[in-house]
Amino acid sequence: MERFVIAALVENKYGVLTRVSGLFMRRGFNIDSLTVGETENPAFSRITITLCGDEYDKEQLINQLKKLHNVKSVKHIEKNQSVERELVLIKIKNSTHNRSEILAVTEIYRAKIIDYNLNTICIAMTGKPSKINAFIEIVRPLGIVELCRTGVVAIERNGNILED
């Protein structure tokens, strides 16, 4: 099973996300990440979904998505022809014992400290999912208090666009 990314351009209307996510539930697929946001045209939103499956699964899901009402365009985003990014916010225990290590790791991974107090340090980082995963594993022993991830957003390189 491989991980793949699907992008869908949908009308920015009530219930569209429910129909899209319901399709995955009916087909028995677990969505690894799902991000939704308004596009340059406020009438449309872009949904980016990452999940695991084989080639047949990918084609079936794309074909089923294309049939849904309010879905204007669907495309598989090829990994080697796209840019993927994710945002993570991590709150880590702050103490005199781990503070210098937190600062060093934050600098190495080009993350940013966005909140600091005597008990916790909150860090924001963007990057490829693999970089985010590596950062999380490095800081886990330092005491993660809270963590939230946005999910993957992806856009194709060059002149390739997802259009209606």
Side-chain angles (χ1 to χ4, degrees):
M1 293 244 251
E2 71 172 294
R3 178 185 158 277
F4 54 92
V5 178
I6 296 174
L9 188 65
V10 301
E11 291 178 2
N12 194 5
K13 292 188 175 177
Y14 173 82
V16 175
L17 181 58
T18 302
R19 282 192 288 284
V20 169
S21 61
L23 170 70
F24 287 84
M25 181 194 68
R26 288 189 304 277
R27 294 278 182 185
F29 281 95
N30 184 43
I31 296 172
D32 295 331
S33 78
L34 182 139
T35 59
V36 183
E38 197 175 88
T39 66
E40 70 285 352
N41 180 346
F44 295 99
S45 289
R46 183 183 176 111
I47 300 175
T48 306
I49 305 162
T50 61
L51 61 150
C52 291
D54 58 24
E55 189 67 28
Y56 176 78
D57 296 331
K58 178 177 66 178
E59 293 304 319
Q60 282 295 107
L61 288 170
I62 289 171
N63 290 334
Q64 292 299 313
L65 280 169
K66 287 179 179 178
K67 292 179 185 178
L68 289 178
H69 183 64
N70 302 116
V71 174
K72 298 302 172 195
S73 182
V74 180
K75 198 174 210 181
H76 171 238
I77 305 294
E78 297 284 345
K79 192 173 202 157
N80 59 352
Q81 297 174 8
S82 66
V83 177
E84 290 184 9
R85 291 294 181 266
E86 186 174 4
L87 166 70
V88 65
L89 300 176
I90 303 177
K91 195 180 291 183
I92 302 170
K93 290 179 189 173
N94 182 14
S95 71
T96 55
H97 304 294
N98 70 357
R99 189 172 302 130
S100 61
E101 193 169 352
I102 292 170
L103 297 174
V105 171
T106 300
E107 187 175 324
I108 290 168
Y109 276 85
R110 295 185 179 157
K112 293 184 179 171
I113 294 174
I114 56 172
D115 188 49
Y116 181 95
N117 64 54
L118 295 176
N119 300 317
T120 60
I121 296 175
C122 187
I123 299 168
M125 188 176 87
T126 59
K128 292 181 180 181
S130 57
K131 179 182 174 184
I132 302 285
N133 292 336
F135 183 74
I136 291 169
E137 290 311 308
I138 293 290
V139 299
R140 189 177 305 282
L142 302 175
I144 296 174
V145 176
E146 193 173 3
L147 180 147
C148 57
R149 295 174 80 156
T150 60
V152 172
V153 291
I155 195 164
E156 290 184 292
R157 295 181 186 276
N158 304 320
N160 300 326
I161 57 172
L162 181 65
E163 53 189 340
D164 53 358

